[in-house]
PDB file of all heavy atoms in Angstrom:
ATOM      1  N   ALA A   1     -43.415-105.653  71.557  1.00  0.00           N
ATOM      2  CA  ALA A   1     -43.970-104.967  70.399  1.00  0.00           C
ATOM      3  C   ALA A   1     -45.222-104.210  70.850  1.00  0.00           C
ATOM      4  O   ALA A   1     -46.009-104.730  71.608  1.00  0.00           O
ATOM      5  CB  ALA A   1     -44.340-105.903  69.254  1.00  0.00           C
ATOM      6  N   VAL A   2     -45.316-102.935  70.376  1.00  0.00           N
ATOM      7  CA  VAL A   2     -46.373-102.018  70.853  1.00  0.00           C
ATOM      8  C   VAL A   2     -47.076-101.379  69.669  1.00  0.00           C
ATOM      9  O   VAL A   2     -46.474-101.110  68.574  1.00  0.00           O
ATOM     10  CB  VAL A   2     -45.730-100.871  71.687  1.00  0.00           C
ATOM     11  CG1 VAL A   2     -46.718 -99.719  72.021  1.00  0.00           C
ATOM     12  CG2 VAL A   2     -45.116-101.471  72.965  1.00  0.00           C
ATOM     13  N   ASP A   3     -48.369-101.184  69.805  1.00  0.00           N
ATOM     14  CA  ASP A   3     -49.201-100.474  68.792  1.00  0.00           C
ATOM     15  C   ASP A   3     -48.913 -98.995  68.915  1.00  0.00           C
ATOM     16  O   ASP A   3     -49.251 -98.410  69.977  1.00  0.00           O
ATOM     17  CB  ASP A   3     -50.660-100.792  68.974  1.00  0.00           C
ATOM     18  CG  ASP A   3     -51.558-100.207  67.857  1.00  0.00           C
ATOM     19  OD1 ASP A   3     -51.031 -99.439  67.091  1.00  0.00           O
ATOM     20  OD2 ASP A   3     -52.749-100.647  67.873  1.00  0.00           O
ATOM     21  N   PRO A   4     -48.375 -98.317  67.860  1.00  0.00           N
ATOM     22  CA  PRO A   4     -48.113 -96.867  68.011  1.00  0.00           C
ATOM     23  C   PRO A   4     -49.375 -95.991  68.115  1.00  0.00           C
ATOM     24  O   PRO A   4     -49.337 -94.835  68.454  1.00  0.00           O
ATOM     25  CB  PRO A   4     -47.313 -96.504  66.779  1.00  0.00           C
ATOM     26  CG  PRO A   4     -47.729 -97.562  65.783  1.00  0.00           C
ATOM     27  CD  PRO A   4     -48.007 -98.817  66.589  1.00  0.00           C
ATOM     28  N   ALA A   5     -50.582 -96.643  67.848  1.00  0.00           N
ATOM     29  CA  ALA A   5     -51.825 -95.859  67.896  1.00  0.00           C
ATOM     30  C   ALA A   5     -52.405 -95.911  69.294  1.00  0.00           C
ATOM     31  O   ALA A   5     -53.551 -95.379  69.555  1.00  0.00           O
ATOM     32  CB  ALA A   5     -52.809 -96.494  66.924  1.00  0.00           C
ATOM     33  N   ALA A   6     -51.739 -96.536  70.265  1.00  0.00           N
ATOM     34  CA  ALA A   6     -52.197 -96.570  71.665  1.00  0.00           C
ATOM     35  C   ALA A   6     -52.476 -95.176  72.172  1.00  0.00           C
ATOM     36  O   ALA A   6     -51.720 -94.285  71.908  1.00  0.00           O
ATOM     37  CB  ALA A   6     -51.175 -97.248  72.484  1.00  0.00           C
ATOM     38  N   ASP A   7     -53.582 -94.976  72.809  1.00  0.00           N
ATOM     39  CA  ASP A   7     -54.015 -93.710  73.354  1.00  0.00           C
ATOM     40  C   ASP A   7     -52.872 -93.089  74.212  1.00  0.00           C
ATOM     41  O   ASP A   7     -52.504 -91.850  74.112  1.00  0.00           O
ATOM     42  CB  ASP A   7     -55.281 -93.769  74.181  1.00  0.00           C
ATOM     43  CG  ASP A   7     -56.445 -93.997  73.296  1.00  0.00           C
ATOM     44  OD1 ASP A   7     -56.396 -93.739  72.100  1.00  0.00           O
ATOM     45  OD2 ASP A   7     -57.527 -94.544  73.824  1.00  0.00           O
ATOM     46  N   ASP A   8     -52.285 -93.913  75.066  1.00  0.00           N
ATOM     47  CA  ASP A   8     -51.189 -93.486  75.893  1.00  0.00           C
ATOM     48  C   ASP A   8     -49.896 -94.165  75.465  1.00  0.00           C
ATOM     49  O   ASP A   8     -49.513 -95.207  76.039  1.00  0.00           O
ATOM     50  CB  ASP A   8     -51.491 -93.736  77.415  1.00  0.00           C
ATOM     51  CG  ASP A   8     -50.317 -93.340  78.364  1.00  0.00           C
ATOM     52  OD1 ASP A   8     -49.433 -92.622  77.884  1.00  0.00           O
ATOM     53  OD2 ASP A   8     -50.346 -93.789  79.504  1.00  0.00           O
ATOM     54  N   LEU A   9     -49.349 -93.684  74.398  1.00  0.00           N
ATOM     55  CA  LEU A   9     -48.148 -94.347  73.821  1.00  0.00           C
ATOM     56  C   LEU A   9     -47.014 -94.324  74.816  1.00  0.00           C
ATOM     57  O   LEU A   9     -46.189 -95.265  74.939  1.00  0.00           O
ATOM     58  CB  LEU A   9     -47.762 -93.757  72.436  1.00  0.00           C
ATOM     59  CG  LEU A   9     -46.545 -94.334  71.808  1.00  0.00           C
ATOM     60  CD1 LEU A   9     -46.734 -95.824  71.589  1.00  0.00           C
ATOM     61  CD2 LEU A   9     -46.271 -93.593  70.459  1.00  0.00           C
ATOM     62  N   THR A  10     -46.868 -93.180  75.516  1.00  0.00           N
ATOM     63  CA  THR A  10     -45.793 -93.032  76.523  1.00  0.00           C
ATOM     64  C   THR A  10     -45.914 -94.174  77.549  1.00  0.00           C
ATOM     65  O   THR A  10     -44.926 -94.832  77.856  1.00  0.00           O
ATOM     66  CB  THR A  10     -45.856 -91.709  77.219  1.00  0.00           C
ATOM     67  OG1 THR A  10     -45.685 -90.626  76.252  1.00  0.00           O
ATOM     68  CG2 THR A  10     -44.776 -91.544  78.288  1.00  0.00           C
ATOM     69  N   GLY A  11     -47.117 -94.364  78.045  1.00  0.00           N
ATOM     70  CA  GLY A  11     -47.305 -95.459  79.078  1.00  0.00           C
ATOM     71  C   GLY A  11     -47.056 -96.787  78.457  1.00  0.00           C
ATOM     72  O   GLY A  11     -46.476 -97.708  79.158  1.00  0.00           O
ATOM     73  N   ALA A  12     -47.519 -97.003  77.234  1.00  0.00           N
ATOM     74  CA  ALA A  12     -47.321 -98.342  76.582  1.00  0.00           C
ATOM     75  C   ALA A  12     -45.826 -98.639  76.382  1.00  0.00           C
ATOM     76  O   ALA A  12     -45.383 -99.824  76.525  1.00  0.00           O
ATOM     77  CB  ALA A  12     -47.990 -98.325  75.225  1.00  0.00           C
ATOM     78  N   LEU A  13     -45.016 -97.630  75.989  1.00  0.00           N
ATOM     79  CA  LEU A  13     -43.580 -97.853  75.809  1.00  0.00           C
ATOM     80  C   LEU A  13     -42.926 -98.171  77.153  1.00  0.00           C
ATOM     81  O   LEU A  13     -42.087 -99.045  77.258  1.00  0.00           O
ATOM     82  CB  LEU A  13     -42.927 -96.641  75.180  1.00  0.00           C
ATOM     83  CG  LEU A  13     -43.390 -96.315  73.755  1.00  0.00           C
ATOM     84  CD1 LEU A  13     -42.736 -95.062  73.262  1.00  0.00           C
ATOM     85  CD2 LEU A  13     -43.019 -97.449  72.774  1.00  0.00           C
ATOM     86  N   ARG A  14     -43.275 -97.424  78.193  1.00  0.00           N
ATOM     87  CA  ARG A  14     -42.718 -97.679  79.501  1.00  0.00           C
ATOM     88  C   ARG A  14     -43.168 -99.078  80.039  1.00  0.00           C
ATOM     89  O   ARG A  14     -42.339 -99.793  80.604  1.00  0.00           O
ATOM     90  CB  ARG A  14     -43.087 -96.603  80.458  1.00  0.00           C
ATOM     91  CG  ARG A  14     -42.466 -95.272  80.111  1.00  0.00           C
ATOM     92  CD  ARG A  14     -42.746 -94.231  81.220  1.00  0.00           C
ATOM     93  NE  ARG A  14     -42.023 -92.992  80.951  1.00  0.00           N
ATOM     94  CZ  ARG A  14     -41.947 -91.949  81.781  1.00  0.00           C
ATOM     95  NH1 ARG A  14     -42.606 -92.033  82.953  1.00  0.00           N
ATOM     96  NH2 ARG A  14     -41.322 -90.886  81.419  1.00  0.00           N
ATOM     97  N   ALA A  15     -44.423 -99.399  79.785  1.00  0.00           N
ATOM     98  CA  ALA A  15     -44.897-100.747  80.257  1.00  0.00           C
ATOM     99  C   ALA A  15     -44.089-101.871  79.581  1.00  0.00           C
ATOM    100  O   ALA A  15     -43.784-102.911  80.180  1.00  0.00           O
ATOM    101  CB  ALA A  15     -46.383-100.862  79.981  1.00  0.00           C
ATOM    102  N   ALA A  16     -43.818-101.688  78.216  1.00  0.00           N
ATOM    103  CA  ALA A  16     -43.032-102.661  77.566  1.00  0.00           C
ATOM    104  C   ALA A  16     -41.569-102.730  78.016  1.00  0.00           C
ATOM    105  O   ALA A  16     -40.876-103.685  77.715  1.00  0.00           O
ATOM    106  CB  ALA A  16     -43.015-102.341  76.075  1.00  0.00           C
ATOM    107  N   ASN A  17     -41.153-101.723  78.760  1.00  0.00           N
ATOM    108  CA  ASN A  17     -39.827-101.691  79.332  1.00  0.00           C
ATOM    109  C   ASN A  17     -39.909-101.960  80.845  1.00  0.00           C
ATOM    110  O   ASN A  17     -39.124-101.359  81.604  1.00  0.00           O
ATOM    111  CB  ASN A  17     -39.112-100.390  79.035  1.00  0.00           C
ATOM    112  CG  ASN A  17     -37.612-100.426  79.286  1.00  0.00           C
ATOM    113  OD1 ASN A  17     -36.993-101.408  78.985  1.00  0.00           O
ATOM    114  ND2 ASN A  17     -37.063 -99.313  79.804  1.00  0.00           N
ATOM    115  N   HIS A  18     -40.779-102.831  81.233  1.00  0.00           N
ATOM    116  CA  HIS A  18     -40.926-103.261  82.673  1.00  0.00           C
ATOM    117  C   HIS A  18     -41.326-102.030  83.489  1.00  0.00           C
ATOM    118  O   HIS A  18     -40.948-102.023  84.737  1.00  0.00           O
ATOM    119  CB  HIS A  18     -39.656-103.906  83.201  1.00  0.00           C
ATOM    120  CG  HIS A  18     -39.164-105.025  82.363  1.00  0.00           C
ATOM    121  ND1 HIS A  18     -39.864-106.145  82.075  1.00  0.00           N
ATOM    122  CD2 HIS A  18     -37.905-105.214  81.739  1.00  0.00           C
ATOM    123  CE1 HIS A  18     -39.225-107.014  81.348  1.00  0.00           C
ATOM    124  NE2 HIS A  18     -38.014-106.471  81.107  1.00  0.00           N
ATOM    125  N   GLY A  19     -42.020-101.062  82.973  1.00  0.00           N
ATOM    126  CA  GLY A  19     -42.427 -99.906  83.688  1.00  0.00           C
ATOM    127  C   GLY A  19     -41.445 -98.801  83.798  1.00  0.00           C
ATOM    128  O   GLY A  19     -41.779 -97.702  84.344  1.00  0.00           O
ATOM    129  N   ASP A  20     -40.289 -98.950  83.216  1.00  0.00           N
ATOM    130  CA  ASP A  20     -39.251 -97.930  83.246  1.00  0.00           C
ATOM    131  C   ASP A  20     -39.251 -97.060  82.044  1.00  0.00           C
ATOM    132  O   ASP A  20     -39.617 -97.543  80.925  1.00  0.00           O
ATOM    133  CB  ASP A  20     -37.902 -98.578  83.422  1.00  0.00           C
ATOM    134  CG  ASP A  20     -37.690 -99.318  84.746  1.00  0.00           C
ATOM    135  OD1 ASP A  20     -38.362 -98.851  85.694  1.00  0.00           O
ATOM    136  OD2 ASP A  20     -37.075-100.353  84.782  1.00  0.00           O
ATOM    137  N   PRO A  21     -38.806 -95.798  82.119  1.00  0.00           N
ATOM    138  CA  PRO A  21     -38.617 -94.988  80.939  1.00  0.00           C
ATOM    139  C   PRO A  21     -37.503 -95.636  80.032  1.00  0.00           C
ATOM    140  O   PRO A  21     -36.690 -96.447  80.518  1.00  0.00           O
ATOM    141  CB  PRO A  21     -38.194 -93.653  81.479  1.00  0.00           C
ATOM    142  CG  PRO A  21     -37.710 -93.874  82.870  1.00  0.00           C
ATOM    143  CD  PRO A  21     -38.445 -95.081  83.342  1.00  0.00           C
ATOM    144  N   VAL A  22     -37.466 -95.235  78.779  1.00  0.00           N
ATOM    145  CA  VAL A  22     -36.564 -95.853  77.829  1.00  0.00           C
ATOM    146  C   VAL A  22     -35.350 -95.005  77.558  1.00  0.00           C
ATOM    147  O   VAL A  22     -35.335 -93.787  77.745  1.00  0.00           O
ATOM    148  CB  VAL A  22     -37.305 -96.124  76.526  1.00  0.00           C
ATOM    149  CG1 VAL A  22     -38.536 -97.059  76.728  1.00  0.00           C
ATOM    150  CG2 VAL A  22     -37.764 -94.853  75.808  1.00  0.00           C
ATOM    151  N   ASP A  23     -34.268 -95.662  77.153  1.00  0.00           N
ATOM    152  CA  ASP A  23     -33.001 -94.965  76.921  1.00  0.00           C
ATOM    153  C   ASP A  23     -32.856 -94.354  75.537  1.00  0.00           C
ATOM    154  O   ASP A  23     -32.323 -93.229  75.412  1.00  0.00           O
ATOM    155  CB  ASP A  23     -31.818 -95.987  77.083  1.00  0.00           C
ATOM    156  CG  ASP A  23     -31.752 -96.553  78.528  1.00  0.00           C
ATOM    157  OD1 ASP A  23     -31.725 -95.792  79.459  1.00  0.00           O
ATOM    158  OD2 ASP A  23     -31.777 -97.748  78.637  1.00  0.00           O
ATOM    159  N   VAL A  24     -33.409 -95.000  74.466  1.00  0.00           N
ATOM    160  CA  VAL A  24     -33.166 -94.547  73.107  1.00  0.00           C
ATOM    161  C   VAL A  24     -34.505 -94.760  72.358  1.00  0.00           C
ATOM    162  O   VAL A  24     -35.163 -95.785  72.466  1.00  0.00           O
ATOM    163  CB  VAL A  24     -32.053 -95.325  72.422  1.00  0.00           C
ATOM    164  CG1 VAL A  24     -31.958 -94.990  70.948  1.00  0.00           C
ATOM    165  CG2 VAL A  24     -30.685 -95.079  73.131  1.00  0.00           C
ATOM    166  N   VAL A  25     -34.822 -93.783  71.478  1.00  0.00           N
ATOM    167  CA  VAL A  25     -35.904 -93.923  70.559  1.00  0.00           C
ATOM    168  C   VAL A  25     -35.419 -93.576  69.166  1.00  0.00           C
ATOM    169  O   VAL A  25     -34.795 -92.551  69.018  1.00  0.00           O
ATOM    170  CB  VAL A  25     -37.131 -93.031  70.882  1.00  0.00           C
ATOM    171  CG1 VAL A  25     -38.201 -93.170  69.910  1.00  0.00           C
ATOM    172  CG2 VAL A  25     -37.640 -93.345  72.301  1.00  0.00           C
ATOM    173  N   LEU A  26     -35.664 -94.445  68.198  1.00  0.00           N
ATOM    174  CA  LEU A  26     -35.374 -94.208  66.783  1.00  0.00           C
ATOM    175  C   LEU A  26     -36.719 -93.881  66.140  1.00  0.00           C
ATOM    176  O   LEU A  26     -37.588 -94.764  66.018  1.00  0.00           O
ATOM    177  CB  LEU A  26     -34.743 -95.397  66.144  1.00  0.00           C
ATOM    178  CG  LEU A  26     -33.474 -95.966  66.805  1.00  0.00           C
ATOM    179  CD1 LEU A  26     -32.854 -97.125  66.000  1.00  0.00           C
ATOM    180  CD2 LEU A  26     -32.429 -94.886  67.057  1.00  0.00           C
TER     181      LEU A  26
END
């Protein structure tokens, strides 16, 4: 789970995916 207000949301999403970019975003 990630806070969408994170300054670097892109980085936070990738970090939550073990550092990898993500396949799908809803």
Side-chain angles (χ1 to χ4, degrees):
V2 171
D3 185 349
D7 290 338
D8 180 11
L9 180 57
T10 299
L13 294 177
R14 292 186 176 188
N17 195 38
H18 307 303
D20 295 326
V22 300
D23 298 305
V24 173
V25 178
L26 307 183

